[in-house]
Structure formats: structure tokens, C-alpha cells
């Protein structure tokens, strides 16, 4: 089991991540005001000290604690740390993301330090945005100066303020739809004081509003976390940490994209050059801003201005053809204040428009380029040249869609998130999107979607004038492919479907994978009856094991009623996903014939 301490935005994010496993876990908050929707979380309410946490973990076989509590909940962090040592289980800290310390702000070590700094700066009128729990902490200041506290309008908050002796007429209430600038205009403080609360605490908005009105900003630094916590800053990081500390909670492991691997390798090579660093692991940011860490396979300094590093790609449990391959980065220092990219062994070359890269460029996609550019220029602003290579990449490319979109000679360095989710549809749909964009860039007037090589061979005969890139495989993702075509703006679309998928699609199932949906014989029999088929046909339909049997079981008259009716149902379903444009559907027989087109 997993025990989560939440009550924060990060707690909600932890719930969203853990619920994807479909396994039960505990979610603990001090009070019961935070509402979460989760089919798997077992709610706990009430403060817990070290002894209570330890006892709970032992009784319930807790294997890992996720600390997603508020950064200023120091007592809880300490209790969690002590309990984890007693029970011998790891703690994953879901940390907020914090801005770089701004020199325009007045930073305070704690509230006592803040009181002294407020006095020394001659602040006479203060707006405190630190919450009701800090009223006692700042009593030394508000007893002597005019001070307003913004708090939540709750009975317990009002009681806490009254207990501390703070005047009720100097309380202002938090309004989630309110504007901090308007509040500043109303209060007209000399300064505000706030906590280093990070992105989810609205820190940036408070600071910018105050500085924009010439109001001084005092900030209480967040407390240091206990040593030994595994710190992550987002949902991908949390999943990876859970996969490592509680194996089996997620049935399948996530992995890294080739773009993430290239970024880690390039950064490791540059750090070896500039700082002589080779720690064995490298940290880097993925596109959503999370800091991730990857093991480095090798690092070698070649000369004073050149080094290379490599990683071994771990795609997790995703059936990725590049899983286990080596991704190498050769980095050479330069003075052009940018990062220039080159393709080495196993990296494909772009030969058609529509990929987002110039023809002749190495197939290193824009998102991985940006990931590397941000990491490398932060270390060495003068710039560098990066040559990526994947030994064996040319052979691996034969197992991908690269040839269809005009990438020859190797694989692509891809990945929009940096993370590969196991058996995820993301990579497949990304490839379909790229194929559509390439086809449009090449002037294809119609896109023909088909389930695979077998159906493609049939529909190609119907459209001999179309180039090869116009024919795109949808696998089982009919609905997503149609929606993507609509979003991209494709005006003419043909969908070729064989009977096994058609009978599922007709019922409204736009993902026809056998793991998700099977043939519904009752549905088919009811539709056959609506189409006017006879009793013999209805009985045959109810007895089938596979839809393809119907090609031989139905008599000509019944077939002429049933199959067109099924295709019309498919058309209606597809129109919901592709509402505009010219849509054609083809029903393809097992014998490789187009039975009907509508």
C-alpha cells in the first residue's frame, strides 16, 4: 500500500497519477475540507504524529509514503521523516516548483527574522498573505503597527484569529475570483509579506502585482526538507518514483523518449567538458518543466573542446523498437550562441515537407531540439554543436513509419513529453499526425485511412493516382484518427474497414482493439432484424464466433440488407468524429474486394 499526505494542489495531482494504476491507496489530510474524487483513495482525516504514522504503516503494510503536504508543514515533514526511518520505508516528496530568488524581494529566514526586517525597513502598514496560522508568528509586528491579514472565510479561521487577539475588522477574506491588485488598491500597504509558496501557491502573481504598484515584498523562505526524501516535481516523476519504490503498483513501467535520452546524453557530455563532472546520473527538464534524472552509460572527453556521452534507452514496458538502443551525443564547444544539430550514425534525414523540419535536416524533432537547447545554453551560453547517433538506427528504422513520411537512413529523435507511457497510444497517434501533415504538405487531395497493409493494398487500387504517403494506417484507433484528420483540416477522407472492425464500429466503438471490445452478437442480430433479414440470418448471427464468418453464412438477399446497414451505422459513428469534409467509407471483404462504398 501507499500512504499519501495531501490537502494541497500537489495532493490532487498525486491522486490523479495514482488512480491510473487502479489500485487502492491511503490519502491523508489534517482536516476533511478538501474534496477529492477518486475510486481508489481510502480517505483518512486528522493530524498524525510520528508514532501514529509508524503504527499505521506497520498495520497496513505501507511500502512507501508520498509527502504532498504544504511546504510549510514542517512538523508533519519531520514526523514523516522520523516514521520512515523507524519503519524502514522510503518517502517521495511531491515538491512544488519555485522561482529563482529575485533580488528585488526581501528574503526572511523565518517569521522572527521577518518581524525584525519589517521594523528595520520602517514598514507602517502591512498586508499579510501568509495565512491565519501565521497570525501568532507575526504578533510582534502587528501589536505595534497597522496590519491586515488575508485569510479563508471559515469558522475555524475566524476562531484562530480571535484566539490570537487579532482585530476582526483588520481581516480580509480570500476570494478565489478576486484580483490581488484590487486588494492592494483597497488596503494601500507599504509592503506585503508572503510565503515562498511556489507556482501552485500563486507566488508569482502576488509578487508581480505588488512590485507593479511600488509595494515592497517580504518573503519567508520555505523550510528545508528532511534529508533522504526522494524529491519529484510532477506527475511523471511521481510515477517513476512509485515504479521504483513500490514495484507492481503500476502494472507497467513508463520509459523515456529518444528525445529525453538525447538531452541527457548531450548535457552529460557538456558538463564533462565545462565542469569535469561525471556523476553517473544526469538531471534535465522535460517539456512540462519537471526535473527528471537518467543514468549515463558512458562519458568520454575527446579534447579540450569536445566530449561524447551515451545513454541506453529504457522505454519501460512499451513495445518500442528503440528500447535498449544506445543514444550518443558528441558535443563540441562553439561561439555562435546557439545549438546546432547534426545527424550521425543511425539518425534519419528528412526528404519530404510536413515534418516541421527542413528537407535535408537530420530527423531530430523540434521538441527534443528545444529541450537540448535550453539545457545546454544554460550551461554554456556561447553555444555548441551536437551530433547525435544511434548505432543500428538504420535497421531499426525499417520497423517504423519513417519511410512513409520521407525520413530515410535511420530513426527520428522524437518525443513531445519526454516520457513514454507503457502501451500508450500517444506515440502511435503522434506518428499518424505526422503522416497526415506530410501528406498535406505534398499536396495530397485525399487521405485514405486503413487498418493495415492488407486493407491498404485493396484501397490503393481504388485510388491509383494518390502517392504512397496518402495511405495511412489507423490500427484500431479509428475515432482518434478521424478527430485528428478533422483538427488538422483534411478536406477529403476515405476510411477502409474490414468486417471485424466494422461490426464494432457500428455499435459506437471507435477503438476496436480486441482487449477493449468484442463482437456483440445480440446487437448485430437486432440490427439485422431492423435491416429486414430473415430468421435464418438472425440465428446464424447469434451463433458466430468471429464476424468474418458472416461473409459465407449469409445468403445473398440477407447479405444485401445486412452489410449496407452496418456500413451506414459506421458512417454515422464516423461523422461524429469527422463532422465536416468529404467522407467516404469502404467495406472490405476477407477476399480482398471492396464490397460496398458509401
Amino acid at each position: 500500500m501507499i500512504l499519501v499526505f495531501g490537502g494541497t494542489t500537489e495532493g490532487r495531482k498525486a491522486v490523479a497519477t495514482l488512480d491510473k494504476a487502479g489500485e487502492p491507496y491511503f490519502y491523508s489530510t489534517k482536516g476533511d475540507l478538501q474534496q477529492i474524487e477518486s475510486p481508489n483513495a481510502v480517505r483518512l482525516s486528522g493530524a498524525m504524529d510520528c508514532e501514529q504514522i509508524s503504527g499505521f504503516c506497520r498495520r497496513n503494510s505501507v511500502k512507501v509514503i508520498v509527502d504532498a503536504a504544504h511546504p510549510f508543514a514542517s512538523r508533519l515533514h519531520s514526523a514523516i521523516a522520523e516514521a520512515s526511518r523507524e519503519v524502514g520505508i522510503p518517502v517521495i516528496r511531491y515538491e512544488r516548483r519555485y522561482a529563482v530568488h529575485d533580488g528585488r524581494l526581501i528574503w526572511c529566514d523565518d517569521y522572527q527574522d521577518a518581524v525584525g526586517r519589517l521594523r528595520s525597513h520602517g514598514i507602517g502598514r502591512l498586508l499579510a498573505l501568509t495565512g491565519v496560522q501565521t497570525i501568532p508568528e507575526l504578533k510582534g509586528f502587528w501589536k505595534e503597527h497597522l496590519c491586515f491579514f488575508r485569510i479563508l472565510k471559515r469558522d475555524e479561521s475566524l476562531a484562530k484569529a480571535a484566539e490570537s487577539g487579532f482585530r476582526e475588522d483588520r481581516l480580509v477574506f480570500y476570494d478565489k475570483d478576486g484580483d490581488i491588485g484590487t486588494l492592494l488598491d483597497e488596503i494601500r500597504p507599504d509592503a506585503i509579506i508572503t510565503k515562498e509558496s511556489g507556482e501552485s501557491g500563486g507566488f508569482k502573481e502576488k509578487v508581480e502585482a505588488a512590485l507593479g504598484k511600488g509595494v515592497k515584498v517580504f518573503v519567508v523562505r520555505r523550510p528545508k526538507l528532511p534529508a533522504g526524501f526522494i524529491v519529484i516535481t510532477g506527475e511523471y516523476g511521481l510515477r517513476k518514483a512509485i515504479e521504483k519504490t513500490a514495484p507492481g503498483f503500476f502494472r507497467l513501467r513508463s520509459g523515456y523518449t529518444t528525445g529525453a535520452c538525447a538531452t541527457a546524453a548531450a548535457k552529460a557530455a557538456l558538463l564533462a567538458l565545462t565542469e569535469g563532472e561525471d556523476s553517473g546520473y544526469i538531471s534535465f527538464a522535460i517539456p512540462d518543466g519537471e526535473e527528471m534524472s537518467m543514468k549515463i552509460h558512458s562519458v568520454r572527453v575527446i579534447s579540450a573542446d569536445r566530449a561524447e556521452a551515451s545513454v541506453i534507452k529504457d522505454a519501460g514496458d512499451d513495445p518500442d523498437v528503440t528500447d535498449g538502443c544506445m543514444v550518443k551525443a558528441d558535443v563540441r564547444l562553439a561561439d555562435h550562441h546557439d545549438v546546432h544539430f547534426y545527424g550521425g550514425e543511425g539518425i534519419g534525414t528528412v526528404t519530404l515537407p510536413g515534418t516541421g523540419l527542413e528537407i535535408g535536416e537530420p530527423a531530430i524533432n523540434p521538441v527534443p531540439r528545444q529541450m537540448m537547447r535550453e539545457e545546454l545554453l544554460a550551461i554554456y551560453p556561447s553555444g555548441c554543436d551536437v551530433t547525435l547517433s544511434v548505432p543500428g538506427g538504420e535497421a531499426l528504422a525499417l520497423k517504423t513509419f519513417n519511410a512513409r513520411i520521407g525520413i530515410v537512413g535511420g530513426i527520428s529523435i522524437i518525443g513531445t513529453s519526454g516520457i513514454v507511457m507503457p502501451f500508450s497510444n500517444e506515440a502511435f497517434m503522434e506518428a499518424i499526425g505526422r503522416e497526415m501533415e506530410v501528406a498535406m504538405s505534398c499536396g495530397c487531395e485525399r487521405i485514405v485511412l486503413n487498418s493495415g497493409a492488407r486493407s491498404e493494398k485493396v484501397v490503393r487500387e481504388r485510388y491509383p493516382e494518390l502517392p504512397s504517403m496518402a495511405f495511412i494506417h489507423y490500427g484500431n484507433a479509428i475515432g482518434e484518427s478521424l478527430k485528428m484528420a478533422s483538427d488538422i483540416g483534411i478536406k477529403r477522407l476515405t476510411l477502409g474497414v474490414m468486417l471485424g472492425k466494422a461490426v464494432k464500429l457500428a455499435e459506437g466503438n471507435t477503438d476496436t482493439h480486441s482487449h477493449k471490445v468484442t463482437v456483440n452478437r445480440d446487437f448485430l442480430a437486432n440490427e439485422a432484424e431492423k435491416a429486414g433479414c430473415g430468421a435464418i440470418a438472425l440465428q446464424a448471427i447469434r451463433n458466430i464466433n468471429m464476424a468474418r464468418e458472416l461473409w459465407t453464412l449469409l445468403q445473398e438477399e440477407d447479405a444485401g440488407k445486412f452489410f449496407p446497414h452496418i456500413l451506414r451505422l459506421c458512417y454515422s459513428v464516423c461523422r461524429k468524429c469527422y463532422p465536416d469534409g468529404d467522407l467516404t467509407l469502404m467495406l472490405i471483404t476477407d477476399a480482398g474486394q471492396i464490397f460496398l462504398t458509401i
Side-chain angles (χ1 to χ4, degrees):
M1 287 290 279
I2 294 172
L3 171 59
V4 181
F5 288 93
T8 58
T9 299
E10 291 70 33
R12 290 185 184 277
K13 291 178 179 179
V15 166
T17 300
L18 296 179
D19 276 348
K20 293 174 183 177
E23 298 291 333
Y25 59 92
F26 297 107
Y27 185 82
S28 172
T29 54
K30 184 177 181 180
D32 55 7
L33 293 176
Q34 188 192 47
Q35 300 299 314
I36 61 167
E37 294 183 4
S38 169
N40 305 300
V42 179
R43 285 301 304 267
L44 307 173
S45 181
M48 298 173 71
D49 59 21
C50 171
E51 184 177 350
Q52 290 168 319
I53 295 171
S54 298
F56 184 87
C57 290
R58 289 191 178 100
R59 290 191 304 273
N60 294 279
S61 301
V62 172
K63 302 299 182 186
V64 61
I65 295 173
V66 176
D67 179 0
H70 195 280
F72 280 77
S74 298
R75 290 182 181 176
L76 178 58
H77 301 319
S78 297
I80 290 171
E82 187 176 348
S84 75
R85 288 191 292 270
E86 287 185 6
V87 183
I89 59 175
V91 177
I92 300 169
R93 168 61 185 168
Y94 199 138
E95 185 70 304
R96 297 180 178 184
R97 300 175 196 174
Y98 299 95
V100 176
H101 280 203
D102 190 328
R104 297 173 297 171
L105 313 183
I106 301 164
W107 293 89
C108 311
D109 293 332
D110 52 33
Y111 291 102
Q112 184 177 353
D113 183 37
V115 169
R117 291 179 184 272
L118 288 166
R119 287 171 175 161
S120 67
H121 281 265
I123 303 302
R125 189 180 181 92
L126 177 71
L127 172 60
L129 304 173
T130 49
V132 71
Q133 298 295 335
T134 65
I135 289 179
E137 303 278 4
L138 292 170
K139 191 170 186 177
F141 184 80
W142 58 258
K143 273 291 193 181
E144 304 170 356
H145 303 83
L146 182 58
C147 183
F148 298 85
F149 268 87
R150 187 180 72 169
I151 67 171
L152 294 172
K153 194 172 185 179
R154 295 174 178 167
D155 290 342
E156 58 266 40
S157 297
L158 290 168
K160 179 71 175 179
E163 180 185 329
S164 301
F166 193 79
R167 289 174 50 172
E168 187 173 349
D169 63 337
R170 291 182 182 174
L171 294 174
V172 292
F173 299 113
Y174 174 78
D175 179 0
K176 66 177 181 179
D177 298 318
D179 177 58
I180 184 66
T182 301
L183 181 59
L184 290 169
D185 290 338
E186 293 173 356
I187 302 295
R188 292 177 290 106
D190 301 326
I192 67 168
I193 183 168
T194 188
K195 295 183 280 191
E196 188 183 8
S197 55
E199 289 181 6
S200 60
F203 179 78
K204 181 180 179 181
E205 292 77 10
K206 298 172 191 174
V207 167
E208 289 183 349
L211 293 178
K213 294 181 179 294
V215 175
K216 290 183 178 180
V217 180
F218 291 76
V219 184
V220 179
R221 290 186 177 90
R222 67 187 188 275
K224 290 184 178 180
L225 289 170
F229 283 13
I230 302 168
V231 178
I232 55 92
T233 59
E235 297 172 59
Y236 289 128
L238 175 60
R239 172 158 182 155
K240 283 198 162 293
I242 292 292
E243 289 169 356
K244 184 176 181 180
T245 57
F249 182 79
F250 291 99
R251 293 185 179 90
L252 301 170
R253 292 187 310 111
S254 60
Y256 287 107
T257 63
T258 49
C261 293
T263 301
K267 184 175 181 179
L270 183 58
L271 285 175
L273 271 178
T274 58
E275 301 179 20
E277 183 177 320
D278 179 12
S279 62
Y281 281 85
I282 202 77
S283 63
F284 61 96
I286 58 177
D288 78 345
E290 287 187 57
E291 283 289 323
M292 309 300 287
S293 180
M294 190 181 298
K295 182 177 175 60
I296 301 302
H297 176 67
S298 66
V299 178
R300 182 169 70 97
V301 175
I302 300 171
S303 64
D305 65 349
R306 182 183 169 204
E308 67 176 17
S310 68
V311 301
I312 303 299
K313 178 176 177 178
D314 178 6
D317 289 324
D318 193 72
D320 188 324
V321 298
T322 58
D323 183 39
C325 74
M326 179 182 291
V327 180
K328 298 174 65 176
D330 185 310
V331 176
R332 186 187 295 272
L333 303 182
D335 59 1
H336 42 56
H337 301 284
D338 196 3
V339 179
H340 292 176
F341 296 96
Y342 302 90
E345 177 189 358
I347 302 297
T349 300
V350 178
T351 64
L352 292 175
T355 62
L357 299 170
E358 295 292 328
I359 291 175
E361 280 284 301
I364 305 168
N365 282 14
V367 171
R369 288 179 185 237
Q370 187 60 26
M371 288 172 65
M372 285 181 271
R373 185 171 278 114
E374 290 178 359
E375 291 286 350
L376 301 182
L377 292 180
I379 298 169
Y380 194 75
S382 295
C384 54
D385 297 329
V386 176
T387 301
L388 300 178
S389 60
V390 176
E394 188 169 1
L396 289 174
L398 299 177
K399 303 176 184 178
T400 72
F401 292 119
N402 273 9
R404 288 179 174 270
I405 59 174
I407 294 175
V408 301
I411 68 163
S412 306
I413 300 298
I414 62 173
T416 56
S417 68
I419 303 295
V420 175
M421 298 307 292
F423 292 95
S424 134
N425 209 30
E426 179 183 355
F428 184 62
M429 294 313 302
E430 182 181 340
I432 289 177
R434 289 201 306 272
E435 289 188 67
M436 289 181 180
E437 290 168 352
V438 167
M440 289 185 68
S441 298
C442 291
C444 295
E445 296 183 354
R446 178 178 293 275
I447 298 298
V448 183
L449 294 174
N450 46 93
S451 60
R454 188 178 180 188
S455 59
E456 179 179 331
K457 182 179 179 181
V458 178
V459 294
R460 271 181 181 269
E461 295 176 359
R462 180 61 64 91
Y463 298 103
E465 75 281 5
L466 292 178
S468 61
M469 67 280 298
F471 299 88
I472 298 171
H473 295 178
Y474 59 73
N476 290 291
I478 297 175
E480 287 188 72
S481 298
L482 290 169
K483 289 174 184 175
M484 185 170 288
S486 179
D487 292 342
I488 289 174
I490 292 170
K491 302 300 183 185
R492 295 181 179 85
L493 190 69
T494 294
L495 177 79
V497 60
M498 299 185 77
L499 188 59
K501 297 185 187 301
V503 296
K504 298 175 183 178
L505 180 62
E507 195 180 1
N509 300 297
T510 58
D511 184 337
T512 58
H513 198 291
S514 60
H515 289 170
K516 297 187 177 181
V517 61
T518 57
V519 176
N520 185 340
R521 291 187 289 269
D522 289 337
F523 165 79
L524 295 179
N526 289 337
E527 293 301 325
E529 187 173 10
K530 291 178 185 178
C533 295
I536 295 176
L538 300 186
Q539 187 60 43
I541 290 171
R542 287 193 171 96
N543 291 331
I544 62 171
N545 292 313
M546 301 183 72
R548 68 179 63 171
E549 297 172 44
L550 295 174
W551 288 121
T552 56
L553 288 176
L554 297 185
Q555 297 298 316
E556 183 175 351
E557 182 180 353
D558 288 323
K561 296 175 182 178
F562 178 76
F563 295 125
H565 180 72
I566 290 296
L567 194 59
R568 285 192 292 271
L569 290 175
C570 290
Y571 189 95
S572 177
V573 172
C574 290
R575 264 303 182 200
K576 295 176 183 177
C577 301
Y578 181 76
D580 303 309
D582 178 0
L583 177 62
T584 299
L585 260 63
M586 294 178 173
L587 181 61
I588 301 168
T589 70
D590 279 6
Q593 303 292 324
I594 297 175
F595 180 86
L596 181 67
T597 300
I598 62 173

